[in-house]
Amino acid sequence: MNTQSAISNDDMHTLAALANVIIPPSAAYAVPGAGDPDICKGIAAGARRAERLQRALGELNAIADAAHGCLFQTLSDSEKMSVAEQFRDQHASSAGLIEALTMQAYYRDPRVMASLGMDARPPFPEGYKPPEGDWSLLDPVRRRAPLFRKAD
Amino acid sequence: MSDQTVDVLIIGAGASGAAMAWSLAETKMHIVCLEQGPLMNPLTYPSASMDWEQQAAGEMNTNPNVRCLPSDYPINEDESPIKIANFNAVGGGTILYAGHFPRFHPSDFRVNSLDGVAADWPIDYAALAPFYAENERMTGVAGAPGDPAYPQDNATRVPPLPLGQSGEVLAKGFNKLGWHWWPSDTAIVTEEYDGRAPCINLGACGTGCAQGAKGSSDITYWPHALRAGVELRTRCRVREITVGDDGMATGAIYYDGDGKEQRINAHVVIMACNGVGTPRLLLNSKSAQFPDGLANSSGLVGKNLMFHPYAMIQGVFDEELDGYMGPHKAIRSQEFYETDADRGFVRGYTLEIQRGMAPVRTAMTGLRHQRIRWGETHHDDYRRMFKRMTGMVAVCEDLPEAHNQVTLDPVLKDSDGIPAPKITYTLSDNSKRMMDHAVGKATEILKAAGATDVISEAPLMWGGWHLMGTARMGKNPETSVVNEWGRSHDVKNLFIVDGSIFTTSAGVNPTNTIQALALYVADQMKSRLATLFD
Ligand SMILES: Cc1cc2nc3c(=O)[nH]c(=O)nc-3n(C[C@H](O)[C@H](O)[C@H](O)COP(=O)(O)OP(=O)(O)OC[C@H]3O[C@@H](n4cnc5c(N)ncnc54)[C@H](O)[C@@H]3O)c2cc1C
Ligand code: SF4
């Protein structure tokens, strides 16, 4: 499952740059971007098949190269966004893979969870306590006549 | 290759195999159950890890072609808009199931008489009622008595799951419209039950319940069946059922955990491999006597595959709701369950309320529906949805159609070289109209409840979790595969007890009915032991 070592440094740079385009850092919410080194490691490690991730990053760099003659990570912010959009259009399944891995790694980061008001922990074993709710809302339904059809 | 003879061989240790094994155990016969998957260890379920939602998308995915665990077999589903969801382990699909546990309605057994479509079941609600009650007692069901959408029942129930903030908001929407809703009958215990701990609202039921609150059959029936002497062999994948010169089943050939071919002889063979696994195995059990596959003189093995086409409808609200907390269910509505000709379709659907979504699922849903974007707007987009979504799915009744089917793929094979199943399925016009209706009505409810934005998806592509109809039950051997007590018309010591024997699908989740049927068939067998093969 852990494919981190299978991703080259260059690939990690490309991945971090794309992840920061997908989710940039935000001072307002006090959260890192998805290109943050810890989060990015999680994105790479999440790929069940490293070669699939490498291929996707290769496709992204090929678009950057064709449009600007350089690697994706060296582009300006606006160029990155435009290349990323082309990547989504031309390689939907690769872009979908990186998008999913990015969400999976980002929304479990303790800093991000804290900013969302969540405890930075897995659900088990503590669990959660949703409010019980007001069951008197059921009273009008209790008073209804049967609504099932007789079958005999 | 070892060679052993037992009284009863059960193939598949999922929902139905578990119930059958437990019920037959009291006969003290030598019962062996072969299961291709392992016995799960709940402590290893994803909800104990930070990356649990990633595991849900990977090794605990509902789709076997994505999951690709050693216990899985591949399925060719290229010709189906709805993809299969299952789990191959002791407990079967119940390891991942949500635990919605409704009964069928009385009218569901009389579809042809009432609505002139499909076929009537050869049994009725009254015949199953005691077995529903027994199954609910064995499983542990949360809910509330008195639902006007059902006849009075004798169910054992623990208190309902919390209504929560989401349930309250939606209940108000239903009430404004004067439409039915009720606490869901759910196979999740809200207090200690049969040595199991109560639900602590992890919200991770779909990846296995580490707490043991959800009634998956590995922790409901199996501990009792094992204590009563049933022998369970895991990582044993059956290739074919064998038959003798007299046309009776003689046992099975299977591959053990080391991939070695083994044979087991049995006086009675019971299939419990689900609506895809059972026809696959029957079709692969060809012989000179049964050239079209076992028990297939009707030609109906694999035919009439029914899912429940699902529509998903979610609302975005201004206020904070339950979000990731709690099991993703609380209430259901059956306002549109029974046929009403004015709606433009026959039969109906249940609206199952889903409480909210965990963080990653929120993001993926928002991205899929263009509510969350890449770039600077991402954080604001996300926060407009996180903990602010609730909604429902519509469980639409699927009618049997012979062209919807499971066949053997001519090329694709599993890791033991057994031909893989191929699914061919198209949505009927009736189903499409029903889903459209459900999306419209659910949108009305969400708006009445105060939603500021509504998103919908129909059919849910990954929603092929209810697998029914592929070896259907009936009195006539020309139009059904098993008789009214689960015995093959063609092979008198071969029984089928999983979802394949459903004559029609109803508009509710099937597992309570699958297990009640297994208990009913077991009861029929026990009461006919002396004349079982006549
Ligand atoms: C994600 C998800 C959510 C669901 N939610 C609900 C819900 O809320 N409510 C509800 O009612 N239902 C739900 N279901 C469906 C429910 O799980 C099934 O209806 C139920 O498990 C079917 O029971 P079964 O006995 O027919 O088959 P299964 O439980 O699928 O058991 C079949 C068993 O047979 C084994 N098997 C198959 N072939 C072989 C072979 N050749 N050799 C050996 N063993 C074999 C399999 O490994 C499996 O363990 C859900 C399912 C999923 C996947
Ligand atoms: S919500 Fe309840 S049933 Fe679901 S996984 Fe958590 S403890 Fe188990």
Side-chain angles (χ1 to χ4, degrees):
Chain A
M1 170 96 189
N2 191 326
T3 57
Q4 197 190 317
S5 54
I7 303 277
S8 69
N9 274 346
D10 279 351
D11 277 345
M12 275 306 261
H13 288 311
T14 306
L15 181 61
L18 177 61
N20 263 340
V21 167
I22 298 174
I23 310 182
S26 162
Y29 293 112
V31 284
D36 170 89
D38 282 346
I39 297 173
C40 215
K41 267 187 222 158
I43 300 174
R48 292 176 96 198
R49 287 189 297 143
E51 63 285 3
R52 185 72 192 78
L53 180 58
Q54 284 162 341
R55 196 172 78 219
L57 295 169
E59 289 160 355
L60 176 71
N61 271 325
I63 299 173
D65 189 43
H68 303 284
C70 60
L71 290 174
F72 179 76
Q73 58 264 39
T74 61
L75 300 176
S76 70
D77 285 353
S78 63
E79 287 167 343
K80 277 184 192 148
M81 187 45 109
S82 138
V83 168
E85 288 303 341
Q86 289 178 56
F87 176 55
R88 287 177 100 175
D89 288 345
Q90 293 170 26
H91 301 285
S93 124
S94 297
L97 170 74
I98 294 180
E99 179 180 273
L101 292 171
T102 302
M103 298 307 139
Q104 289 160 7
Y106 189 77
Y107 285 107
R108 66 166 189 255
D109 181 86
R111 294 159 291 178
V112 177
M113 289 174 83
S115 150
L116 293 171
M118 295 180 76
D119 295 339
R121 62 169 173 87
F124 188 76
E126 278 178 66
Y128 302 106
K129 283 198 177 59
E132 184 57 37
D134 175 10
W135 282 112
S136 72
L137 286 164
L138 198 54
D139 291 345
V141 193
R142 285 185 203 283
R143 290 193 290 271
R144 273 187 75 157
L147 57 147
F148 63 92
R149 269 194 299 179
K150 291 243 164 34
D152 30 57
Chain B
M1 181 155 91
S2 78
D3 208 336
Q4 180 198 14
T5 300
V6 300
D7 295 317
V8 179
L9 169 65
I10 301 175
I11 307 171
S16 58
M20 182 47 113
W22 170 77
S23 181
L24 284 188
E26 66 169 317
T27 62
K28 304 291 175 211
M29 292 190 287
H30 186 182
I31 303 169
V32 169
C33 177
L34 298 179
E35 165 56 51
Q36 67 189 338
L39 183 63
M40 300 300 287
N41 174 2
L43 291 178
T44 63
Y45 285 151
S47 63
S49 312
M50 291 298 279
D51 69 349
W52 71 276
E53 285 197 272
Q54 184 155 59
Q55 293 185 47
E59 57 270 38
M60 289 300 267
N61 198 289
T62 58
N63 183 272
N65 294 336
V66 177
R67 205 168 51 223
C68 294
L69 296 178
S71 51
D72 290 321
Y73 54 93
I75 301 179
N76 179 345
E77 44 192 10
D78 295 347
E79 290 177 21
S80 175
I82 297 177
K83 310 301 176 193
I84 302 294
N86 68 9
F87 201 72
N88 297 308
V90 177
T94 67
I95 298 295
L96 300 188
Y97 82 156
H100 287 283
F101 223 60
R103 297 181 179 192
F104 274 24
H105 290 210
S107 60
D108 292 326
F109 297 88
R110 292 282 170 272
V111 172
N112 188 269
S113 306
L114 293 171
D115 295 322
V117 291
D120 285 351
W121 285 61
I123 56 171
D124 60 13
Y125 180 87
L128 272 195
F131 301 98
Y132 275 129
E134 185 169 40
N135 189 45
E136 287 150 359
R137 184 178 56 75
M138 287 299 293
T139 304
V141 175
D147 185 348
Y150 278 93
Q152 287 290 342
D153 64 38
N154 47 354
T156 315
R157 291 185 179 91
V158 296
L161 298 170
L163 182 59
Q165 199 126 349
S166 320
E168 241 187 64
V169 163
L170 291 176
K172 285 178 188 157
F174 280 109
N175 284 357
K176 225 185 242 179
L177 296 164
W179 290 351
H180 168 266
W181 63 277
W182 200 259
S184 291
D185 285 313
T186 313
I188 292 179
V189 292
T190 48
E191 53 190 37
E192 279 196 24
Y193 194 89
D194 194 22
R196 286 158 45 204
C199 174
I200 48 171
N201 305 300
L202 305 176
C205 322
T207 56
C209 177
Q211 170 80 347
K214 188 181 78 170
S216 49
S217 39
D218 57 327
I219 60 165
T220 57
Y221 281 103
W222 271 115
H224 293 284
L226 294 175
R227 273 200 292 278
V230 176
E231 190 188 331
L232 172 61
R233 294 186 198 163
T234 57
R235 300 195 189 278
C236 292
R237 179 177 278 147
V238 175
R239 184 184 78 201
E240 61 182 280
I241 319 285
T242 50
V243 284
D245 295 339
D246 56 359
M248 298 283 270
T250 53
I253 296 173
Y254 67 96
Y255 297 99
D256 67 17
D258 299 324
K260 285 206 192 95
E261 190 176 311
Q262 306 283 0
R263 169 189 291 279
I264 184 165
N265 303 316
H267 300 303
V268 175
V269 176
I270 301 173
M271 308 282 302
C273 295
N274 84 30
V276 170
T278 285
R280 173 200 190 201
L281 210 45
L282 291 175
L283 293 171
N284 200 45
S285 301
K286 289 195 179 97
S287 59
Q289 288 128 298
F290 301 101
D292 300 323
L294 197 58
N296 197 17
S297 66
S298 63
L300 290 178
V301 169
K303 300 263 167 63
N304 296 308
L305 171 68
M306 294 174 282
F307 298 122
H308 287 123
Y310 266 62
M312 192 267 293
I313 314 97
Q314 295 286 330
V316 184
F317 292 77
D318 287 336
E319 71 257 49
E320 276 212 354
L321 304 168
D322 300 324
Y324 50 88
M325 288 188 282
H328 293 150
K329 54 220 142 243
I331 60 175
R332 65 171 179 236
S333 168
Q334 294 190 325
E335 183 67 28
F336 307 104
Y337 193 85
E338 305 282 3
T339 297
D340 176 345
D342 292 344
R343 295 185 194 136
F345 56 87
V346 284
R347 313 299 300 157
Y349 56 88
T350 300
L351 291 170
E352 240 173 48
I353 307 315
Q354 297 187 306
R355 194 180 297 272
M357 291 186 191
V360 175
R361 209 164 144 226
T362 304
M364 295 309 296
T365 304
L367 284 158
R368 209 166 53 245
H369 292 274
Q370 290 88 44
R371 299 311 197 269
I372 296 179
R373 291 161 287 178
W374 288 15
E376 291 302 331
T377 56
H378 180 90
H379 299 285
D380 285 333
D381 291 348
Y382 183 84
R383 280 162 173 76
R384 256 194 300 279
M385 300 187 86
F386 179 66
K387 282 193 91 180
R388 288 180 159 78
M389 262 196 298
T390 187
M392 59 200 83
V393 288
V395 187
C396 296
E397 173 155 356
D398 202 359
L399 290 168
E401 294 178 284
H403 59 86
N404 289 335
Q405 57 181 318
V406 178
T407 51
L408 292 182
D409 192 278
V411 180
L412 194 64
K413 292 190 169 40
D414 69 19
S415 55
D416 289 308
I418 307 172
K422 177 179 176 194
I423 310 296
T424 310
Y425 179 91
T426 44
L427 279 165
S428 69
D429 287 341
N430 196 65
S431 294
K432 287 182 194 157
R433 286 196 291 271
M434 200 184 305
M435 282 191 293
D436 284 348
H437 187 270
V439 170
K441 292 297 167 190
T443 303
E444 277 186 61
I445 297 157
L446 290 167
K447 294 244 164 92
T452 52
D453 184 18
V454 174
I455 54 184
S456 65
E457 217 170 309
L460 268 191
M461 182 167 90
W462 299 108
W465 28 59
H466 301 160
L467 312 171
M468 301 160 288
T470 46
R472 77 175 177 202
M473 181 182 243
K475 287 188 177 151
N476 183 346
E478 286 174 13
T479 56
S480 57
V481 177
V482 297
N483 72 7
E484 65 274 30
W485 42 283
R487 192 181 73 178
S488 150
H489 289 299
D490 300 348
V491 184
K492 294 206 177 338
N493 63 344
L494 177 70
F495 293 77
I496 306 177
V497 292
D498 54 62
S500 349
I501 64 177
F502 277 31
T503 310
T504 55
S505 71
V508 290
N509 322 64
T511 307
N512 195 4
T513 304
I514 289 175
Q515 292 183 302
L517 266 173
L519 296 176
Y520 163 81
V521 171
D523 188 67
Q524 292 286 318
M525 291 173 75
K526 286 185 282 189
S527 65
R528 296 166 192 259
L529 276 182
T531 56
L532 198 58
F533 308 140
D534 290 352

